[in-house]
Amino acid sequence: MLDAAVRAALASAVGEDNIVSDPVGLRSYECDGLTGFRQVPGLVVLPLDTAGVAAAVRACHEHGVPFVARGAGTGLSGGALPVADGVVISLQRLRRVLEVDPIDRRAVLQPGVTNLDITKAAAPFGLYYAPDPSSQQVCTIGGNVAENSGGAHCLKYGFTTNHVLELTVVLPDGEVVTLGGDTAEQLGPDLRGVFIGSEGTLGIACEITVRLLRVPQTVRTLLADFPSVTEAGEVVSDIVAAGIVPAAVEMMDNLAIQAAEQAVGAGYTLDTPAALVVELDGPAAECGEQFEQVKAICERHGCTRLHIAGDAAERAKIWKGRKAAFAAVGRISPDYIVQDGVVPRTRLAEVLGRIEDMGGAAGLRVANVFHAGDGNLHPLVLFDESAGELDRAEQLSKEIAELCVELGGSLSGEHGIGTDKACSMPTMFSSDDLATMDRVRSAFDPAGLCNPGKLLPTPRLCGEAPGRYRPHPLEEAGVIERL
């Protein structure tokens, strides 16, 4: 339990009305989107501005209390998992668009602004914000910075790090600093780049300056069905080999298609083994010529149905199906785990075949939906916890992530390492690599109070049984209650 001195310091920092301490309220913060990892925090504070965040962090630092920053809680790697007897610093009340500059094409944002709201604020000026995670309606720019989020259009436009110019950051001791500047390239070490994607372990971003892009002159979108994921994967490789860089190339297998179509009725073919969503944008002449090339490549690889979006409404309908896929899987399975890994494009067919074999060996189904253009997989391991399938599902999910490394890829493309995959980091990095990362982290946070237990493997984290919280028999019987 946090003592009275800590509570008083935090109340002074953010105001008594901005503290959550009742057991029911605290449970709202016990996990992020990876619900298998849960821990009730000691307190939650909800500061109103950068000064409040800094004051709360200073209070935690002075009393040696660990703290975790939290945005919308949509992360899928356990990156916002609280610490027992620690503090959650919620950024949900810092949700203002501070400035939109249409001349220099920039926006200044508080971390609680949702990804989609950036584009809504920029739209009156003919501008938009390019990174677009599937959860863009609810995920926040602060969380996007922490995880270096991408989205469907990152193939052409890059990840969060390619669009953030400057950060106002509260360091783990409460000091407020500026990282980056007016332009993407700055003299000296790229501390802005170090911070983006550090998963909340180096400090808390409280103001974020992003660059905005002009809305493309033309956007063309198609939905193509294929007799197998192999043919669909070959299309992706051939499109890139032809020198075409689409705005997005997304692939879904039959399980994912069935789930999405049941959920939103996007017009997908229910019995097709695989489908590609390909989108091109840019000048009308260039876009039109390349679109014809893409159609020809699809037909050359046995495309069984080619649907071209006739207008913005049809295009939105196609994307609605793709972006609903994660949540829609709940319609075909009582439980599921979302994995995130990367492989070279040329090994897409191989990795999907291996995943199918691994799922068969485990007696579990795996739905696949992913950013095919850059090889960023999102396998969804389907299981029924009530049937005792949890342990097998967790093991299969871990093996899929490590398979990506084996095939020349990485453990994560955009969801982060968090708590979920920290113990798999040695499969990708040497002990020297991990020690260097730890030294960088310690330079920012010598006391180890800022989002501890995430990203890097530790004996405590990796020596204990991983996975979902397993209730004590007395808790299951209702004799005791977990707080």
Side-chain angles (χ1 to χ4, degrees):
M1 295 290 291
L2 294 173
D3 61 32
V6 175
R7 169 65 183 257
L10 290 169
S12 175
V14 302
E16 186 66 38
D17 291 343
N18 297 312
I19 291 180
V20 177
S21 58
D22 66 283
V24 175
L26 291 175
R27 286 202 172 195
S28 300
Y29 298 87
E30 68 180 355
C31 67
D32 59 12
L34 184 67
T35 58
F37 294 86
R38 296 175 183 266
Q39 177 62 61
V40 178
L43 282 176
V44 175
V45 298
L46 296 101
L48 303 176
D49 53 24
T50 300
V53 174
V57 170
R58 280 195 299 273
C60 290
H61 180 262
E62 290 167 3
H63 289 85
V65 175
F67 60 92
V68 176
R70 178 187 174 97
T74 58
L76 293 167
S77 63
L81 183 73
V83 179
D85 293 331
V87 172
V88 167
I89 300 177
S90 172
L91 304 172
Q92 277 295 287
R93 293 181 178 172
L94 281 77
R95 43 197 322 175
R96 289 190 298 138
V97 176
L98 300 174
E99 179 187 358
V100 175
D101 179 352
I103 304 300
D104 290 330
R105 300 183 198 170
R106 299 186 309 166
V108 183
L109 316 156
Q110 290 186 315
V113 175
T114 63
N115 177 285
L116 190 58
D117 279 347
I118 305 172
T119 288
K120 288 179 179 179
F125 307 101
L127 304 171
Y128 78 110
Y129 180 65
D132 61 337
S134 295
S135 59
Q136 66 179 148
Q137 293 185 357
V138 290
C139 69
T140 60
I141 186 62
N144 293 173
V145 167
E147 303 293 352
N148 191 24
S149 301
H153 292 81
C154 64
L155 172 62
K156 182 174 183 178
Y157 292 105
F159 288 72
T160 300
T161 191
N162 303 112
H163 298 269
V164 172
L165 299 172
E166 184 175 281
L167 298 161
T168 298
V169 173
V170 176
L171 295 178
D173 62 356
E175 181 183 359
V176 180
V177 300
T178 299
L179 307 180
D182 291 339
T183 61
E185 299 298 328
Q186 298 287 311
L187 295 175
D190 182 15
L191 296 180
R192 178 206 60 89
V194 171
F195 187 89
I196 297 172
S198 61
E199 303 193 19
T201 62
L202 304 183
I204 303 174
C206 291
E207 287 187 16
I208 301 151
T209 302
V210 301
R211 68 186 184 105
L212 304 171
L213 304 181
R214 286 195 182 279
V215 173
Q217 181 184 36
T218 303
V219 180
R220 301 289 304 277
T221 306
L222 64 79
L223 173 64
D225 296 343
F226 293 91
S228 76
V229 294
T230 300
E231 279 89 352
E234 289 172 352
V235 167
V236 177
S237 295
D238 282 4
I239 289 173
V240 176
I244 300 169
V245 182
V249 182
E250 301 288 291
M251 188 189 296
M252 299 169 68
D253 71 4
N254 184 256
L255 275 176
I257 290 166
Q258 289 185 43
E261 189 61 21
Q262 288 180 34
V264 300
Y268 291 8
T269 307
L270 283 173
D271 61 353
T272 188
L276 284 180
V277 176
V278 183
E279 185 162 282
L280 302 178
D281 65 13
E286 177 186 67
C287 197
E289 180 180 342
Q290 292 186 343
F291 198 72
E292 293 303 316
Q293 290 180 264
V294 169
K295 286 166 57 181
I297 292 170
C298 289
E299 290 165 355
R300 190 163 67 242
H301 285 279
C303 173
T304 56
R305 174 185 176 239
L306 188 66
H307 173 64
I308 299 171
D311 54 28
E314 274 196 84
R315 185 166 63 249
K317 190 175 180 181
I318 291 172
W319 279 111
K320 185 176 182 181
R322 163 59 187 90
K323 294 199 172 187
F326 284 6
V329 168
R331 291 174 173 266
I332 62 173
S333 177
D335 302 288
Y336 62 94
I337 298 172
V338 181
Q339 191 48 271
D340 165 54
V342 181
V343 296
R345 276 190 301 267
T346 55
R347 307 195 78 169
L348 280 173
E350 179 183 359
V351 74
L352 291 173
R354 292 276 297 273
I355 289 172
E356 184 177 6
D357 292 342
M358 291 162 65
L364 299 170
R365 297 178 298 163
V366 181
N368 289 285
V369 51
F370 50 95
H371 311 312
D374 62 351
N376 187 186
L377 307 175
H378 293 311
L380 298 109
V381 179
L382 314 184
F383 69 100
D384 184 350
E385 186 171 4
S386 67
E389 296 176 348
L390 171 60
D391 289 343
R392 276 186 288 143
E394 289 179 339
Q395 182 61 29
L396 176 58
S397 179
K398 176 184 177 183
E399 289 173 358
I400 289 172
E402 294 181 355
L403 171 65
C404 292
V405 178
E406 177 190 328
L407 296 181
S410 68
L411 289 170
S412 176
E414 57 180 340
H415 293 176
I417 301 299
T419 306
D420 185 34
K421 290 184 278 192
C423 298
S424 294
M425 286 286 276
T427 66
M428 184 173 174
F429 298 102
S430 69
S431 57
D432 287 344
D433 293 333
L434 294 171
T436 300
M437 294 180 200
D438 192 41
R439 288 183 66 186
V440 171
R441 181 172 180 169
S442 296
F444 281 79
D445 182 22
L449 298 176
C450 189
N451 206 15
K454 314 292 167 43
L455 189 59
L456 298 178
T458 65
R460 180 181 181 278
L461 178 65
C462 301
E464 299 174 356
R468 296 191 171 206
Y469 171 77
R470 291 166 173 80
H472 189 278
L474 290 177
E475 183 182 342
E476 290 183 322
V479 177
I480 61 174
E481 182 179 5
R482 177 168 60 100
L483 297 176

